[in-house]
Amino acid sequence: MKATVLVRPKGDILDPQGEAVERALRQLGFPVGDARVGRVIDLDVDAASAAEARAQLEEKCDRLLANPLIESYEIELEGRA
Amino acid sequence: MKATVLVRPKGDILDPQGEAVERALRQLGFPVGDARVGRVIDLDVDAASAAEARAQLEEKCDRLLANPLIESYEIELEGRA
């Protein structure tokens, strides 16, 4: 089952990448607000059901894909938001 | 208008981050396939309509947010996929 994990810096965490994007876009003449940069991870999970895939992915996120202290994550399974 | 840009390495481009994720998950006992790592960029765009926001973002992506030679991007506007 194809899955996508979005990992983002939590709201109260400084995000230097986002600040750099904002600054660079402003210099190009595109004012934007509140830019935040995170990671998107696409992967293929071996699971019998969506619930099982989600449970597996949550464990993966907590242990490896995200740093739960400073990042939040969102899991999307193919065909289900 | 809030927008999310997903930037991913194109299919035929080597993705060492994705390979590292796959290897690390395998070592933790989670076999996964085809892991690819990209970036997710959230930002606030000043545009009157969704079409204008999308046009602005496409220009931003081509000029700064993505490297069109090796990356593809996908634009999501709040409330519209």
Side-chain angles (χ1 to χ4, degrees):
Chain A
M1 190 175 295
K2 287 208 180 301
T4 297
V5 180
L6 300 175
V7 180
R8 295 179 162 109
K10 286 189 176 168
D12 48 349
I13 297 291
L14 275 183
D15 175 21
Q17 272 193 87
E19 284 167 23
V21 163
E22 244 180 83
R23 214 167 27 236
L25 285 175
R26 205 170 303 133
Q27 281 167 2
L28 284 176
F30 298 117
V32 296
D34 259 347
R36 310 279 289 172
V37 178
R39 295 188 299 289
V40 50
I41 304 156
D42 295 309
L43 31 76
D44 240 340
V45 196
D46 187 20
S49 68
E52 191 193 325
R54 193 171 289 274
Q56 272 192 33
L57 282 168
E58 280 172 7
E59 194 180 347
K60 290 180 177 81
C61 283
D62 288 331
R63 290 182 62 186
L64 183 89
L65 298 178
N67 177 346
L69 287 176
I70 57 168
E71 293 171 327
S72 61
Y73 58 80
E74 191 181 323
I75 294 170
E76 291 171 5
L77 297 172
E78 199 174 61
R80 303 153 218 250
Chain B
M1 189 176 294
K2 286 207 181 301
T4 297
V5 180
L6 300 175
V7 180
R8 296 182 162 107
K10 286 190 176 167
D12 48 349
I13 298 290
L14 273 183
D15 175 20
Q17 274 194 85
E19 284 167 23
V21 163
E22 245 180 81
R23 214 170 25 239
L25 285 174
R26 206 171 300 132
Q27 280 167 3
L28 285 176
F30 297 118
V32 296
D34 259 346
R36 309 280 289 172
V37 178
R39 295 188 300 288
V40 51
I41 304 157
D42 295 309
L43 31 76
D44 240 340
V45 196
D46 187 21
S49 67
E52 191 194 325
R54 193 172 290 274
Q56 273 193 31
L57 283 167
E58 278 171 8
E59 194 180 345
K60 290 181 177 80
C61 284
D62 288 332
R63 290 183 60 186
L64 183 90
L65 299 176
N67 177 346
L69 286 176
I70 57 168
E71 292 170 328
S72 62
Y73 58 80
E74 192 182 324
I75 294 170
E76 293 171 6
L77 297 172
E78 199 175 59
R80 303 152 218 249

